[in-house]
Amino acid sequence: MSQALARIRPVQRAVPIERDEGEPRPLSRREKAAIIVRLLLAEGAPLPLTALPEDMQEGLAEQMARMRTIDRATMTAVVEEFVGELEAVGLSFPGGLEGALAVMDGHISPTAATRLRRQAGAKGDPWERLVTMPAESLLKVLEEESVEVAAVMLSKLPVPKAADLLGKLPGEKARRVAYAVSMTGSVEPETVRRIGISLLTQLDAEPARAFTATPVERVGAILNVSAATTRDDVLKGLDETDAAFAEQVRKAIFTFQHVPRRLLARDVPKVARVVDQGRLVTVVAAASTRPDLSEGVEFLLSNMSQRLAQALREDAMARGRVKDKEAEEAMNSVVAGIRQLEVAGELVLVVEGEAD
C-alpha cells in the first residue's frame, strides 16, 4: 500500500490545491475513506478489507456506490491529509481481541486467553471468531453435532471453508447436512447466535496442549537426527509394542536415504545454499566408502550447479576417509536444512506412495 501511495502522492502534489476548479469541498470521513480505497485499488494495491468488521465493509461499499466524480483539488487534499496522518502514526495496535491475543501469544497464559475469548463470545457475535478457526477444529465439532446444528454452521462459514468441511464428512451425513441447509431459512438470528456461543464454548473447553506437534511428529523428528542403529532399534521396539504407531512414525521419518525419492530435483539448489558446504563435502566423501549414501549424493550433485558439484567432488577427494559419526552428523545437517526449507514453505516433500 505504501508503494501505491508513493506513486499517487507525487502526482497529486504537482497539482495546486487551489485552481480554477475551486477549493476542495468538505467531505465526511467515510467519503474520504472511499476516495483512498478507490485510488489504492486503481493502483493495484492489496487491501485486506475483509479484516474490517462487516458493518464497516458494508458502509464503505454503500458510500462508494453513492459517489460519482471527485474534482482534482478535493482528491489532492484527501490524499495529502491521509498521507500526513500515516506519517504521524508512531505506533498502531491490532484491532479486536483476536489481534491483541495474537500479539501477546506466548506472553499470557492459555487459561487467560480462553477466558477472554469466552467473555468476548458471550458479549458479541461468536461467529466472528468461529469463521476464523482452522477447519480441523471445526470438523471435530461438526462430526459430533446434530445435522441441524451442522447445517447452521456451514451456512455461516465462508463458502470455500464450508465446502472443504462438507467434503470431509462421511457421505451419508454430508448428504443429510446439505439437505438441512435448505431448511435454515426460517431460523431466527438469536437462535443462530446461541448455536454459535454453544459451539465456541465446546471449542474453548478443549484443554490446552503442552505440545503443538503430535506424538508421531515428535518421535519422527527425534529419529530423523538419531544414528541409524538407534533409529532401527527404536522402530523394532515400537513394532513389538504398537505396530500401528510404528508405521505412522516410519511415514513421518525423513532421512538422507529418502532424499532421492522425496526431494524434488528443482529444490536441490535451495538445499545447497542453506547447508554448510563443509557438511556437504563430508557427505560426498563418506559416499566413497558407504554405498548406502551413493544414490543420495549423486542425486544432489547432479541437480546443483556443476561448478559447485565439481568443487565438492574435489574437496571430498582431498578430505579422504570419513568417520561414521562425522558422516551421520553431516547427513543430519542436510536433512535439517531440507526440513528448515519445508517449514518455511520454500519446498514441498513428495509423499511416498502418492502419484506424481
Side-chain angles (χ1 to χ4, degrees), residues 238-255:
L238 287 175
D239 280 329
E240 296 172 357
T241 56
D242 191 338
F245 181 71
E247 180 60 26
Q248 289 180 307
V249 170
R250 280 192 172 87
K251 293 179 180 179
I253 289 175
F254 176 79
T255 65

Side-chain angles (χ1 to χ4, degrees), residues 150-222:
V152 170
M153 176 189 283
L154 292 186
S155 299
K156 289 292 291 184
L157 294 176
V159 172
K161 182 176 285 189
D164 179 46
L165 289 171
L166 187 65
K168 292 178 180 177
L169 289 175
E172 176 59 27
K173 184 163 187 178
R175 288 189 289 272
R176 292 168 57 202
V177 170
Y179 175 73
V181 170
S182 67
M183 310 295 288
T184 57
S186 59
V187 179
E188 296 182 355
E190 182 58 27
T191 302
V192 174
R193 181 176 178 277
R194 289 179 181 176
I195 290 174
I197 292 174
S198 175
L199 295 175
L200 206 51
T201 302
Q202 290 183 54
L203 290 166
D204 286 337
E206 293 186 3
R209 294 183 178 181
F211 306 102
T212 55
T214 66
V216 169
E217 292 170 335
R218 296 200 302 275
V219 174
I222 293 170

Side-chain angles (χ1 to χ4, degrees), residues 96-108:
L97 177 63
E98 286 303 314
L101 292 178
V103 171
M104 299 179 70
D105 184 36
H107 300 284
I108 63 174

Side-chain angles (χ1 to χ4, degrees), residues 97-98 101 111-126 129 193 197 200-201 204:
L97 177 63
E98 286 303 314
L101 292 178
T111 303
T114 298
R115 184 164 57 249
L116 287 169
R117 287 189 173 106
R118 286 176 180 170
Q119 293 171 354
K123 295 176 183 178
D125 183 2
R129 182 166 159 236
R193 181 176 178 277
I197 292 174
L200 206 51
T201 302
D204 286 337

Side-chain angles (χ1 to χ4, degrees), residues 5-6 9 13 36 78-88:
L5 285 173
R9 192 180 186 188
R13 280 183 166 175
I36 294 298
V78 170
V79 170
E80 291 295 333
E81 179 184 347
F82 180 68
V83 172
E85 290 184 2
L86 282 182
E87 292 176 343

Side-chain angles (χ1 to χ4, degrees), residues 207-275:
R209 294 183 178 181
F211 306 102
T212 55
T214 66
V216 169
E217 292 170 335
R218 296 200 302 275
V219 174
I222 293 170
L223 294 182
N224 272 338
V225 293
S226 300
T229 54
T230 302
R231 184 164 54 245
D232 293 340
D233 287 343
V234 170
L235 289 172
K236 183 179 179 180
L238 287 175
D239 280 329
E240 296 172 357
T241 56
D242 191 338
F245 181 71
E247 180 60 26
Q248 289 180 307
V249 170
R250 280 192 172 87
K251 293 179 180 179
I253 289 175
F254 176 79
T255 65
F256 188 80
Q257 281 70 23
H258 293 108
V259 168
R261 300 191 299 276
R262 299 190 57 193
L263 182 67
L264 295 176
R266 66 169 183 256
D267 292 325
V268 171
K270 299 177 185 176
V271 177
R273 286 195 295 270
V274 300
V275 178

